[in-house]
Short mmCIF file of all heavy atoms in Angstrom, two decimals:
data_model
loop_
_atom_site.label_atom_id
_atom_site.label_comp_id
_atom_site.label_asym_id
_atom_site.label_seq_id
_atom_site.Cartn_x
_atom_site.Cartn_y
_atom_site.Cartn_z
N MET C 2 -3.47 170.72 276.55
CA MET C 2 -4.84 170.87 276.98
C MET C 2 -5.71 169.89 276.19
O MET C 2 -5.51 169.72 274.99
CB MET C 2 -5.30 172.29 276.74
CG MET C 2 -4.56 173.30 277.62
SD MET C 2 -4.76 174.99 277.03
CE MET C 2 -3.67 175.00 275.63
N LYS C 3 -6.64 169.29 276.86
CA LYS C 3 -7.47 168.27 276.24
C LYS C 3 -8.93 168.70 276.25
O LYS C 3 -9.44 169.16 277.27
CB LYS C 3 -7.30 166.96 276.99
CG LYS C 3 -5.87 166.46 276.95
CD LYS C 3 -5.66 165.28 277.84
CE LYS C 3 -4.19 164.89 277.79
NZ LYS C 3 -3.88 163.85 278.74
N ILE C 4 -9.59 168.53 275.12
CA ILE C 4 -11.03 168.79 275.03
C ILE C 4 -11.72 167.43 275.14
O ILE C 4 -11.38 166.49 274.41
CB ILE C 4 -11.38 169.48 273.71
CG1 ILE C 4 -10.65 170.83 273.62
CG2 ILE C 4 -12.89 169.67 273.59
CD1 ILE C 4 -10.81 171.55 272.30
N LYS C 5 -12.68 167.36 276.06
CA LYS C 5 -13.37 166.10 276.33
C LYS C 5 -14.86 166.25 276.09
O LYS C 5 -15.41 167.34 276.20
CB LYS C 5 -13.15 165.68 277.79
CG LYS C 5 -11.70 165.42 278.13
CD LYS C 5 -11.57 165.01 279.57
CE LYS C 5 -10.15 164.71 279.94
NZ LYS C 5 -10.04 164.22 281.32
N THR C 6 -15.49 165.13 275.80
CA THR C 6 -16.95 165.12 275.62
C THR C 6 -17.63 165.23 276.97
O THR C 6 -17.06 164.89 278.00
CB THR C 6 -17.41 163.82 274.94
OG1 THR C 6 -16.98 162.72 275.73
CG2 THR C 6 -16.85 163.70 273.54
N GLU C 7 -18.84 165.71 276.95
CA GLU C 7 -19.62 165.85 278.18
C GLU C 7 -20.73 164.80 278.28
O GLU C 7 -21.32 164.62 279.33
CB GLU C 7 -20.22 167.25 278.25
CG GLU C 7 -19.13 168.32 278.29
CD GLU C 7 -19.66 169.73 278.13
OE1 GLU C 7 -20.89 169.90 277.94
OE2 GLU C 7 -18.85 170.66 278.19
N ILE C 8 -21.01 164.13 277.15
CA ILE C 8 -22.06 163.12 277.12
C ILE C 8 -21.64 161.96 276.22
O ILE C 8 -20.71 162.08 275.43
CB ILE C 8 -23.40 163.69 276.59
CG1 ILE C 8 -23.22 164.18 275.15
CG2 ILE C 8 -23.95 164.78 277.48
CD1 ILE C 8 -24.52 164.47 274.44
N GLN C 9 -22.36 160.87 276.30
CA GLN C 9 -22.18 159.76 275.37
C GLN C 9 -22.93 160.13 274.09
O GLN C 9 -24.09 160.54 274.14
CB GLN C 9 -22.75 158.48 275.97
CG GLN C 9 -22.52 157.27 275.12
CD GLN C 9 -23.00 156.00 275.80
OE1 GLN C 9 -23.51 156.02 276.90
NE2 GLN C 9 -22.84 154.88 275.12
N ALA C 10 -22.26 160.01 272.95
CA ALA C 10 -22.87 160.46 271.69
C ALA C 10 -22.10 159.88 270.50
O ALA C 10 -21.19 159.08 270.66
CB ALA C 10 -22.84 161.99 271.63
N VAL C 11 -22.50 160.34 269.30
CA VAL C 11 -21.81 160.00 268.06
C VAL C 11 -21.19 161.29 267.53
O VAL C 11 -21.80 162.36 267.59
CB VAL C 11 -22.81 159.42 267.03
CG1 VAL C 11 -22.14 159.20 265.68
CG2 VAL C 11 -23.41 158.13 267.54
N ILE C 12 -19.97 161.19 266.99
CA ILE C 12 -19.34 162.35 266.37
C ILE C 12 -20.03 162.60 265.03
O ILE C 12 -19.93 161.79 264.11
CB ILE C 12 -17.83 162.12 266.15
CG1 ILE C 12 -17.11 161.81 267.47
CG2 ILE C 12 -17.20 163.32 265.44
CD1 ILE C 12 -17.14 162.91 268.49
N TRP C 13 -20.75 163.71 264.94
CA TRP C 13 -21.48 164.03 263.72
C TRP C 13 -20.59 164.81 262.76
O TRP C 13 -20.55 164.54 261.56
CB TRP C 13 -22.75 164.81 264.06
CG TRP C 13 -23.61 165.07 262.87
CD1 TRP C 13 -24.36 164.16 262.20
CD2 TRP C 13 -23.78 166.30 262.19
NE1 TRP C 13 -25.00 164.75 261.13
CE2 TRP C 13 -24.65 166.08 261.11
CE3 TRP C 13 -23.28 167.59 262.39
CZ2 TRP C 13 -25.04 167.09 260.25
CZ3 TRP C 13 -23.66 168.60 261.53
CH2 TRP C 13 -24.53 168.33 260.46
N LYS C 14 -19.85 165.81 263.30
CA LYS C 14 -19.01 166.64 262.44
C LYS C 14 -17.82 167.17 263.24
O LYS C 14 -17.97 167.58 264.39
CB LYS C 14 -19.81 167.81 261.88
CG LYS C 14 -19.04 168.66 260.90
CD LYS C 14 -19.89 169.72 260.27
CE LYS C 14 -19.05 170.51 259.28
NZ LYS C 14 -19.73 171.68 258.79
N ILE C 15 -16.66 167.16 262.63
CA ILE C 15 -15.46 167.75 263.22
C ILE C 15 -15.23 169.09 262.53
O ILE C 15 -15.12 169.16 261.31
CB ILE C 15 -14.25 166.82 263.04
CG1 ILE C 15 -14.51 165.48 263.72
CG2 ILE C 15 -12.99 167.48 263.59
CD1 ILE C 15 -13.48 164.41 263.43
N ASN C 16 -15.18 170.16 263.33
CA ASN C 16 -15.09 171.52 262.77
C ASN C 16 -13.68 172.09 262.73
O ASN C 16 -13.51 173.25 262.35
CB ASN C 16 -15.97 172.47 263.58
CG ASN C 16 -17.45 172.24 263.36
OD1 ASN C 16 -17.83 171.51 262.47
ND2 ASN C 16 -18.27 172.86 264.17
N VAL C 17 -12.68 171.32 263.15
CA VAL C 17 -11.31 171.81 263.18
C VAL C 17 -10.39 170.83 262.47
O VAL C 17 -10.78 169.70 262.18
CB VAL C 17 -10.82 172.02 264.64
CG1 VAL C 17 -11.60 173.12 265.32
CG2 VAL C 17 -10.86 170.73 265.43
N GLU C 18 -9.18 171.29 262.19
CA GLU C 18 -8.17 170.42 261.61
C GLU C 18 -6.84 170.67 262.31
O GLU C 18 -6.67 171.70 262.97
CB GLU C 18 -8.05 170.62 260.10
CG GLU C 18 -7.82 172.05 259.69
CD GLU C 18 -7.95 172.25 258.18
OE1 GLU C 18 -8.88 171.71 257.57
OE2 GLU C 18 -7.09 172.97 257.63
N ILE C 19 -5.92 169.75 262.17
CA ILE C 19 -4.62 169.88 262.82
C ILE C 19 -3.95 171.16 262.35
O ILE C 19 -3.96 171.49 261.17
CB ILE C 19 -3.76 168.64 262.54
CG1 ILE C 19 -4.40 167.43 263.23
CG2 ILE C 19 -2.33 168.84 263.02
CD1 ILE C 19 -3.74 166.11 262.96
N GLY C 20 -3.40 171.90 263.32
CA GLY C 20 -2.71 173.17 263.02
C GLY C 20 -3.61 174.39 263.12
O GLY C 20 -3.13 175.52 263.06
N GLN C 21 -4.91 174.18 263.27
CA GLN C 21 -5.86 175.30 263.33
C GLN C 21 -5.85 175.95 264.70
O GLN C 21 -5.78 175.29 265.72
CB GLN C 21 -7.26 174.79 263.01
CG GLN C 21 -8.31 175.87 262.99
CD GLN C 21 -9.66 175.33 262.53
OE1 GLN C 21 -9.74 174.34 261.80
NE2 GLN C 21 -10.72 175.97 262.98
N LYS C 22 -5.93 177.28 264.72
CA LYS C 22 -6.03 178.03 265.96
C LYS C 22 -7.47 177.96 266.49
O LYS C 22 -8.41 178.09 265.73
CB LYS C 22 -5.63 179.48 265.72
CG LYS C 22 -5.63 180.33 266.96
CD LYS C 22 -5.23 181.76 266.64
CE LYS C 22 -5.34 182.61 267.88
NZ LYS C 22 -5.03 184.01 267.61
N VAL C 23 -7.58 177.73 267.81
CA VAL C 23 -8.89 177.62 268.45
C VAL C 23 -8.96 178.62 269.59
O VAL C 23 -8.01 178.78 270.35
CB VAL C 23 -9.10 176.18 269.01
CG1 VAL C 23 -10.37 176.09 269.81
CG2 VAL C 23 -9.11 175.17 267.88
N ASP C 24 -10.08 179.33 269.70
CA ASP C 24 -10.31 180.26 270.80
C ASP C 24 -11.33 179.66 271.77
O ASP C 24 -12.05 178.71 271.43
CB ASP C 24 -10.84 181.60 270.27
CG ASP C 24 -9.75 182.45 269.63
OD1 ASP C 24 -8.63 182.47 270.17
OD2 ASP C 24 -10.02 183.08 268.59
N ILE C 25 -11.42 180.24 272.95
CA ILE C 25 -12.41 179.83 273.93
C ILE C 25 -13.80 179.98 273.31
O ILE C 25 -14.08 180.98 272.64
CB ILE C 25 -12.27 180.65 275.22
CG1 ILE C 25 -10.92 180.35 275.88
CG2 ILE C 25 -13.41 180.38 276.18
CD1 ILE C 25 -10.56 181.25 277.04
N ASP C 26 -14.66 179.01 273.52
CA ASP C 26 -16.05 178.96 273.03
C ASP C 26 -16.18 178.63 271.54
O ASP C 26 -17.30 178.62 271.02
CB ASP C 26 -16.83 180.24 273.35
CG ASP C 26 -17.04 180.44 274.84
OD1 ASP C 26 -17.09 179.43 275.57
OD2 ASP C 26 -17.18 181.60 275.27
N ASP C 27 -15.08 178.35 270.84
CA ASP C 27 -15.20 177.88 269.45
C ASP C 27 -15.78 176.47 269.46
O ASP C 27 -15.38 175.63 270.27
CB ASP C 27 -13.83 177.84 268.76
CG ASP C 27 -13.34 179.19 268.30
OD1 ASP C 27 -14.09 180.18 268.42
OD2 ASP C 27 -12.20 179.25 267.80
N THR C 28 -16.69 176.19 268.54
CA THR C 28 -17.24 174.84 268.40
C THR C 28 -16.24 174.00 267.63
O THR C 28 -15.94 174.28 266.47
CB THR C 28 -18.59 174.87 267.67
OG1 THR C 28 -19.52 175.65 268.44
CG2 THR C 28 -19.15 173.46 267.49
N VAL C 29 -15.70 172.97 268.29
CA VAL C 29 -14.69 172.12 267.66
C VAL C 29 -15.29 170.85 267.08
O VAL C 29 -14.79 170.31 266.10
CB VAL C 29 -13.55 171.79 268.64
CG1 VAL C 29 -12.76 173.04 268.98
CG2 VAL C 29 -14.04 171.12 269.90
N VAL C 30 -16.36 170.36 267.70
CA VAL C 30 -17.00 169.12 267.26
C VAL C 30 -18.50 169.28 267.47
O VAL C 30 -18.94 169.94 268.41
CB VAL C 30 -16.49 167.91 268.09
CG1 VAL C 30 -17.27 166.65 267.79
CG2 VAL C 30 -15.00 167.68 267.85
N ILE C 31 -19.28 168.65 266.60
CA ILE C 31 -20.72 168.58 266.82
C ILE C 31 -21.06 167.11 267.10
O ILE C 31 -20.72 166.22 266.30
CB ILE C 31 -21.52 169.11 265.62
CG1 ILE C 31 -21.18 170.59 265.41
CG2 ILE C 31 -23.02 168.92 265.86
CD1 ILE C 31 -21.83 171.21 264.19
N LEU C 32 -21.69 166.90 268.24
CA LEU C 32 -22.10 165.56 268.65
C LEU C 32 -23.56 165.35 268.28
O LEU C 32 -24.32 166.30 268.17
CB LEU C 32 -21.95 165.41 270.17
CG LEU C 32 -20.58 165.70 270.76
CD1 LEU C 32 -20.65 165.73 272.28
CD2 LEU C 32 -19.57 164.67 270.29
N GLU C 33 -23.93 164.08 268.10
CA GLU C 33 -25.34 163.75 267.89
C GLU C 33 -25.76 162.75 268.97
O GLU C 33 -25.10 161.74 269.18
CB GLU C 33 -25.56 163.14 266.51
CG GLU C 33 -27.00 162.81 266.25
CD GLU C 33 -27.22 162.13 264.92
OE1 GLU C 33 -26.28 161.97 264.14
OE2 GLU C 33 -28.37 161.74 264.67
N SER C 34 -26.81 163.11 269.67
CA SER C 34 -27.34 162.22 270.70
C SER C 34 -28.86 162.36 270.70
O SER C 34 -29.39 163.47 270.76
CB SER C 34 -26.78 162.60 272.06
OG SER C 34 -27.28 161.75 273.07
N MET C 35 -29.55 161.24 270.62
CA MET C 35 -31.01 161.23 270.61
C MET C 35 -31.58 162.17 269.55
O MET C 35 -32.49 162.95 269.81
CB MET C 35 -31.55 161.54 272.00
CG MET C 35 -31.10 160.51 273.01
SD MET C 35 -31.63 160.63 274.73
CE MET C 35 -32.48 162.13 274.91
N LYS C 36 -30.96 162.13 268.36
CA LYS C 36 -31.37 162.91 267.19
C LYS C 36 -31.23 164.43 267.38
O LYS C 36 -31.84 165.21 266.67
CB LYS C 36 -32.78 162.55 266.76
CG LYS C 36 -32.91 161.08 266.45
CD LYS C 36 -34.15 160.77 265.68
CE LYS C 36 -34.27 159.28 265.58
NZ LYS C 36 -34.32 158.77 264.28
N MET C 37 -30.42 164.82 268.38
CA MET C 37 -30.14 166.25 268.60
C MET C 37 -28.67 166.51 268.30
O MET C 37 -27.81 165.70 268.62
CB MET C 37 -30.43 166.63 270.05
CG MET C 37 -31.89 166.56 270.42
SD MET C 37 -32.17 166.94 272.18
CE MET C 37 -31.33 168.48 272.37
N GLU C 38 -28.39 167.67 267.69
CA GLU C 38 -27.01 168.09 267.46
C GLU C 38 -26.55 168.93 268.64
O GLU C 38 -27.23 169.89 269.03
CB GLU C 38 -26.91 168.90 266.17
CG GLU C 38 -27.22 168.07 264.94
CD GLU C 38 -27.23 168.90 263.68
OE1 GLU C 38 -26.78 170.06 263.70
OE2 GLU C 38 -27.73 168.38 262.66
N ILE C 39 -25.42 168.56 269.21
CA ILE C 39 -24.92 169.23 270.41
C ILE C 39 -23.51 169.73 270.14
O ILE C 39 -22.59 168.92 269.91
CB ILE C 39 -24.92 168.26 271.61
CG1 ILE C 39 -26.34 167.72 271.81
CG2 ILE C 39 -24.38 168.93 272.86
CD1 ILE C 39 -26.41 166.43 272.56
N PRO C 40 -23.29 171.05 270.15
CA PRO C 40 -21.94 171.57 269.91
C PRO C 40 -21.04 171.31 271.12
O PRO C 40 -21.46 171.46 272.26
CB PRO C 40 -22.16 173.06 269.69
CG PRO C 40 -23.46 173.37 270.35
CD PRO C 40 -24.27 172.10 270.33
N LEU C 41 -19.80 170.93 270.83
CA LEU C 41 -18.78 170.78 271.87
C LEU C 41 -17.81 171.95 271.68
O LEU C 41 -17.14 172.05 270.66
CB LEU C 41 -18.05 169.45 271.73
CG LEU C 41 -16.94 169.16 272.72
CD1 LEU C 41 -17.46 169.19 274.15
CD2 LEU C 41 -16.29 167.83 272.42
N GLU C 42 -17.80 172.84 272.67
CA GLU C 42 -17.01 174.07 272.57
C GLU C 42 -15.72 173.95 273.37
O GLU C 42 -15.68 173.28 274.40
CB GLU C 42 -17.83 175.25 273.07
CG GLU C 42 -19.07 175.47 272.22
CD GLU C 42 -19.99 176.53 272.77
OE1 GLU C 42 -19.87 176.88 273.95
OE2 GLU C 42 -20.85 177.00 272.00
N SER C 43 -14.69 174.61 272.88
CA SER C 43 -13.40 174.60 273.57
C SER C 43 -13.45 175.49 274.80
O SER C 43 -14.03 176.58 274.77
CB SER C 43 -12.30 175.09 272.62
OG SER C 43 -11.06 175.12 273.29
N LYS C 44 -12.83 175.03 275.87
CA LYS C 44 -12.70 175.83 277.09
C LYS C 44 -11.32 176.49 277.14
O LYS C 44 -10.99 177.15 278.12
CB LYS C 44 -12.91 174.95 278.32
CG LYS C 44 -14.31 174.36 278.38
CD LYS C 44 -14.47 173.44 279.55
CE LYS C 44 -15.88 172.85 279.51
NZ LYS C 44 -16.02 171.68 280.33
N TYR C 45 -10.53 176.30 276.07
CA TYR C 45 -9.15 176.77 276.04
C TYR C 45 -8.85 177.47 274.72
O TYR C 45 -9.53 177.25 273.73
CB TYR C 45 -8.17 175.61 276.17
CG TYR C 45 -8.49 174.64 277.28
CD1 TYR C 45 -9.09 173.42 277.02
CD2 TYR C 45 -8.20 174.97 278.60
CE1 TYR C 45 -9.39 172.53 278.04
CE2 TYR C 45 -8.50 174.08 279.62
CZ TYR C 45 -9.09 172.87 279.34
OH TYR C 45 -9.38 171.99 280.35
N LYS C 46 -7.77 178.26 274.72
CA LYS C 46 -7.18 178.81 273.50
C LYS C 46 -5.98 177.94 273.17
O LYS C 46 -5.27 177.50 274.07
CB LYS C 46 -6.71 180.24 273.72
CG LYS C 46 -7.82 181.26 273.85
CD LYS C 46 -7.25 182.61 274.13
CE LYS C 46 -7.05 183.36 272.85
NZ LYS C 46 -6.71 184.77 273.06
N GLY C 47 -5.74 177.72 271.90
CA GLY C 47 -4.57 176.93 271.51
C GLY C 47 -4.62 176.56 270.04
O GLY C 47 -5.44 177.06 269.28
N ILE C 48 -3.71 175.67 269.69
CA ILE C 48 -3.62 175.17 268.32
C ILE C 48 -3.88 173.67 268.36
O ILE C 48 -3.35 172.96 269.22
CB ILE C 48 -2.24 175.48 267.71
CG1 ILE C 48 -2.07 177.00 267.62
CG2 ILE C 48 -2.08 174.82 266.34
CD1 ILE C 48 -0.70 177.44 267.17
N VAL C 49 -4.69 173.18 267.42
CA VAL C 49 -5.03 171.76 267.39
C VAL C 49 -3.77 170.95 267.07
O VAL C 49 -3.16 171.11 266.02
CB VAL C 49 -6.13 171.47 266.34
CG1 VAL C 49 -6.43 169.99 266.27
CG2 VAL C 49 -7.40 172.26 266.65
N LYS C 50 -3.40 170.11 268.03
CA LYS C 50 -2.22 169.25 267.88
C LYS C 50 -2.62 167.86 267.40
O LYS C 50 -1.93 167.27 266.59
CB LYS C 50 -1.49 169.15 269.22
CG LYS C 50 -0.27 168.28 269.20
CD LYS C 50 0.40 168.25 270.56
CE LYS C 50 1.60 167.33 270.53
NZ LYS C 50 2.20 167.22 271.85
N GLU C 51 -3.75 167.36 267.91
CA GLU C 51 -4.16 166.00 267.58
C GLU C 51 -5.68 165.89 267.63
O GLU C 51 -6.32 166.46 268.50
CB GLU C 51 -3.53 165.03 268.58
CG GLU C 51 -3.52 163.60 268.17
CD GLU C 51 -2.69 162.73 269.10
OE1 GLU C 51 -1.94 163.24 269.94
OE2 GLU C 51 -2.84 161.51 268.99
N ILE C 52 -6.24 165.13 266.68
CA ILE C 52 -7.67 164.82 266.67
C ILE C 52 -7.78 163.31 266.90
O ILE C 52 -7.27 162.53 266.10
CB ILE C 52 -8.33 165.24 265.34
CG1 ILE C 52 -8.17 166.74 265.14
CG2 ILE C 52 -9.79 164.83 265.31
CD1 ILE C 52 -8.62 167.26 263.78
N LEU C 53 -8.41 162.94 268.00
CA LEU C 53 -8.41 161.55 268.44
C LEU C 53 -9.63 160.75 267.96
O LEU C 53 -9.75 159.57 268.26
CB LEU C 53 -8.35 161.49 269.97
CG LEU C 53 -7.17 162.23 270.60
CD1 LEU C 53 -7.31 162.27 272.10
CD2 LEU C 53 -5.86 161.59 270.19
N ILE C 54 -10.52 161.39 267.22
CA ILE C 54 -11.75 160.75 266.77
C ILE C 54 -11.96 161.03 265.29
O ILE C 54 -11.24 161.85 264.69
CB ILE C 54 -12.98 161.26 267.58
CG1 ILE C 54 -12.93 162.77 267.84
CG2 ILE C 54 -13.05 160.57 268.92
CD1 ILE C 54 -13.41 163.64 266.79
N LYS C 55 -12.94 160.34 264.70
CA LYS C 55 -13.34 160.65 263.32
C LYS C 55 -14.86 160.69 263.26
O LYS C 55 -15.53 160.18 264.17
CB LYS C 55 -12.75 159.66 262.33
CG LYS C 55 -13.18 158.23 262.51
CD LYS C 55 -12.43 157.33 261.53
CE LYS C 55 -12.86 155.89 261.60
NZ LYS C 55 -12.73 155.23 262.87
N GLU C 56 -15.39 161.31 262.24
CA GLU C 56 -16.84 161.42 262.11
C GLU C 56 -17.46 160.02 262.07
O GLU C 56 -16.93 159.12 261.42
CB GLU C 56 -17.20 162.23 260.87
CG GLU C 56 -16.81 163.69 261.04
CD GLU C 56 -17.07 164.56 259.82
OE1 GLU C 56 -17.62 164.07 258.82
OE2 GLU C 56 -16.71 165.74 259.88
N GLY C 57 -18.54 159.85 262.84
CA GLY C 57 -19.21 158.57 262.91
C GLY C 57 -18.82 157.73 264.12
O GLY C 57 -19.47 156.74 264.44
N ASP C 58 -17.73 158.14 264.81
CA ASP C 58 -17.30 157.41 266.00
C ASP C 58 -18.29 157.58 267.14
O ASP C 58 -18.88 158.64 267.30
CB ASP C 58 -15.94 157.91 266.50
CG ASP C 58 -14.76 157.39 265.69
OD1 ASP C 58 -14.98 156.56 264.78
OD2 ASP C 58 -13.63 157.83 265.97
N ASN C 59 -18.45 156.53 267.93
CA ASN C 59 -19.19 156.62 269.19
C ASN C 59 -18.20 157.05 270.27
O ASN C 59 -17.08 156.54 270.32
CB ASN C 59 -19.79 155.26 269.57
CG ASN C 59 -20.92 154.87 268.65
OD1 ASN C 59 -21.88 155.61 268.51
ND2 ASN C 59 -20.81 153.72 268.02
N VAL C 60 -18.62 157.98 271.11
CA VAL C 60 -17.76 158.44 272.20
C VAL C 60 -18.52 158.34 273.52
O VAL C 60 -19.74 158.39 273.56
CB VAL C 60 -17.27 159.89 271.99
CG1 VAL C 60 -16.30 159.96 270.83
CG2 VAL C 60 -18.43 160.84 271.77
N ASN C 61 -17.76 158.18 274.58
CA ASN C 61 -18.32 158.10 275.92
C ASN C 61 -18.19 159.43 276.63
O ASN C 61 -17.41 160.30 276.21
CB ASN C 61 -17.59 157.02 276.73
CG ASN C 61 -17.84 155.65 276.17
OD1 ASN C 61 -18.97 155.27 275.91
ND2 ASN C 61 -16.78 154.89 275.96
N GLU C 62 -18.92 159.60 277.70
CA GLU C 62 -18.81 160.80 278.51
C GLU C 62 -17.38 160.92 279.03
O GLU C 62 -16.76 159.94 279.41
CB GLU C 62 -19.79 160.69 279.69
CG GLU C 62 -19.82 161.91 280.57
CD GLU C 62 -20.85 161.78 281.66
OE1 GLU C 62 -21.68 160.86 281.63
OE2 GLU C 62 -20.81 162.62 282.56
N ASP C 63 -16.85 162.14 279.00
CA ASP C 63 -15.51 162.46 279.50
C ASP C 63 -14.39 161.83 278.68
O ASP C 63 -13.29 161.62 279.15
CB ASP C 63 -15.39 162.06 280.98
CG ASP C 63 -14.34 162.88 281.70
OD1 ASP C 63 -14.20 164.08 281.38
OD2 ASP C 63 -13.65 162.33 282.58
N GLN C 64 -14.66 161.56 277.40
CA GLN C 64 -13.63 161.00 276.49
C GLN C 64 -12.88 162.13 275.82
O GLN C 64 -13.46 163.09 275.34
CB GLN C 64 -14.28 160.10 275.44
CG GLN C 64 -13.29 159.45 274.50
CD GLN C 64 -13.93 158.46 273.56
OE1 GLN C 64 -14.94 157.84 273.89
NE2 GLN C 64 -13.35 158.31 272.38
N GLU C 65 -11.55 162.02 275.75
CA GLU C 65 -10.72 163.01 275.07
C GLU C 65 -10.95 162.89 273.57
O GLU C 65 -10.93 161.80 273.02
CB GLU C 65 -9.25 162.78 275.38
CG GLU C 65 -8.90 162.96 276.83
CD GLU C 65 -7.47 162.59 277.15
OE1 GLU C 65 -6.70 162.22 276.23
OE2 GLU C 65 -7.11 162.66 278.33
N VAL C 66 -11.18 164.06 272.92
CA VAL C 66 -11.40 164.04 271.47
C VAL C 66 -10.42 164.92 270.71
O VAL C 66 -10.07 164.62 269.57
CB VAL C 66 -12.86 164.42 271.11
CG1 VAL C 66 -13.82 163.35 271.58
CG2 VAL C 66 -13.26 165.76 271.67
N ILE C 67 -9.97 166.00 271.33
CA ILE C 67 -9.04 166.94 270.69
C ILE C 67 -7.95 167.31 271.70
O ILE C 67 -8.24 167.56 272.87
CB ILE C 67 -9.75 168.25 270.26
CG1 ILE C 67 -10.97 167.97 269.39
CG2 ILE C 67 -8.78 169.23 269.59
CD1 ILE C 67 -10.76 167.88 267.92
N ILE C 68 -6.70 167.38 271.22
CA ILE C 68 -5.60 167.86 272.07
C ILE C 68 -5.09 169.16 271.47
O ILE C 68 -4.79 169.24 270.27
CB ILE C 68 -4.49 166.81 272.17
CG1 ILE C 68 -5.02 165.55 272.82
CG2 ILE C 68 -3.29 167.37 272.94
CD1 ILE C 68 -4.04 164.41 272.92
N LEU C 69 -4.99 170.18 272.33
CA LEU C 69 -4.48 171.49 271.92
C LEU C 69 -3.08 171.69 272.51
O LEU C 69 -2.77 171.16 273.57
CB LEU C 69 -5.38 172.62 272.43
CG LEU C 69 -6.85 172.61 271.99
CD1 LEU C 69 -7.58 173.76 272.65
CD2 LEU C 69 -6.96 172.69 270.48
N GLU C 70 -2.28 172.51 271.84
CA GLU C 70 -0.98 172.89 272.41
C GLU C 70 -0.93 174.38 272.61
O GLU C 70 -1.71 175.13 272.07
CB GLU C 70 0.17 172.42 271.55
CG GLU C 70 0.16 172.90 270.14
CD GLU C 70 1.34 172.39 269.31
OE1 GLU C 70 2.07 171.52 269.74
OE2 GLU C 70 1.50 172.91 268.22
#
C-alpha cells in the first residue's frame, strides 16, 4: 500500500519510521505549503516498509512518500 501526497508541498516533518505500525487516520507526514502545515494521514493500516522522502524535500501532487506492508 502506498501513501501519496495530495498537493505540491515541502516535507516539513516525518512522523513515522521504518517498522512502525500505522493505523487509518494516523498522521505520517506533515507538509508545508504556503506557510501552512498540512497533515498527511494514512488511509490504510500496516507497517512502514519504506520512506521515500526526507524532511525538506519538495514533493508533487500524487507523489508516493511512504510504502506500507
Side-chain angles (χ1 to χ4, degrees):
M2 294 164 285
K3 299 172 183 174
I4 299 174
K5 298 180 179 184
T6 58
E7 298 170 358
I8 62 167
Q9 184 175 0
V11 174
I12 301 297
W13 185 72
K14 184 175 181 189
I15 300 171
N16 288 350
V17 294
E18 54 190 43
I19 293 175
Q21 182 174 334
K22 183 180 176 183
V23 173
D24 284 320
I25 295 171
D26 294 332
D27 281 356
T28 299
V29 293
V30 172
I31 298 176
L32 304 171
E33 181 183 356
S34 180
M35 299 181 354
K36 302 196 187 238
M37 293 177 52
E38 294 175 13
I39 303 158
L41 179 59
E42 298 174 343
S43 178
K44 297 177 182 163
Y45 313 102
K46 288 177 93 170
I48 296 174
V49 177
K50 180 179 178 184
E51 197 171 347
I52 299 173
L53 304 173
I54 41 83
K55 62 185 183 302
E56 292 177 3
D58 282 355
N59 290 304
V60 291
N61 294 311
E62 183 177 348
D63 206 35
Q64 182 174 331
E65 296 174 3
V66 292
I67 306 271
I68 298 177
L69 302 177
E70 57 180 11

